[in-house]
Amino acid sequence: DLATALNDRGQVRYLRVEFAAALQDFTAAIECQPGFEVPYYNRGLVRYRLGDFDEAMKDFRKVLELNPQFEDAALSLKQTILDKEEKQKRGY
């Protein structure tokens, strides 16, 4: 289906470090199928890599709302919170 195809293309772009294009694909996949948790997770990973911790946390929380058993999302959310706190302690 289209949402899966967009998510898959986004993953290829993510691996190529084409983050802006990957974000577009993951967002398009979400728009196609809002209940599909995987593109939220993948978009959260891109946002995390870009240092956009607040938006990454929103995506990881949405994954867990859709699928509470998604362990990687729970771990990523915890790591994002820790990194955001560390960034704030350092003052940047």
Side-chain angles (χ1 to χ4, degrees):
D1 67 64
L2 183 57
T4 301
L6 287 164
N7 181 70
D8 291 348
R9 186 174 70 181
Q11 287 208 282
V12 170
R13 289 175 163 175
Y14 174 76
L15 293 172
R16 291 181 179 162
V17 196
E18 297 170 3
F19 293 149
L23 275 176
Q24 289 176 339
D25 284 340
F26 296 138
T27 300
I30 290 163
E31 289 168 358
C32 276
Q33 194 175 334
F36 182 25
E37 72 271 21
V38 177
Y40 288 101
Y41 175 70
N42 290 329
R43 188 173 71 178
L45 292 177
V46 175
R47 289 173 163 173
Y48 173 85
R49 290 277 303 269
L50 293 172
D52 190 353
F53 296 142
D54 290 333
E55 291 301 311
M57 286 188 289
K58 285 181 193 173
D59 280 337
F60 296 140
R61 285 187 176 115
K62 182 65 177 180
V63 172
L64 294 169
E65 176 186 312
L66 294 168
N67 179 358
Q69 306 307 313
F70 200 124
E71 289 184 29
D72 286 347
L75 292 171
S76 294
L77 177 58
K78 286 179 187 171
Q79 188 62 54
T80 304
I81 291 167
L82 289 172
D83 289 353
K84 180 183 178 187
E85 289 171 355
E86 185 62 29
K87 184 178 176 182
Q88 288 171 333
K89 281 183 201 168
R90 293 181 184 198
Y92 58 83

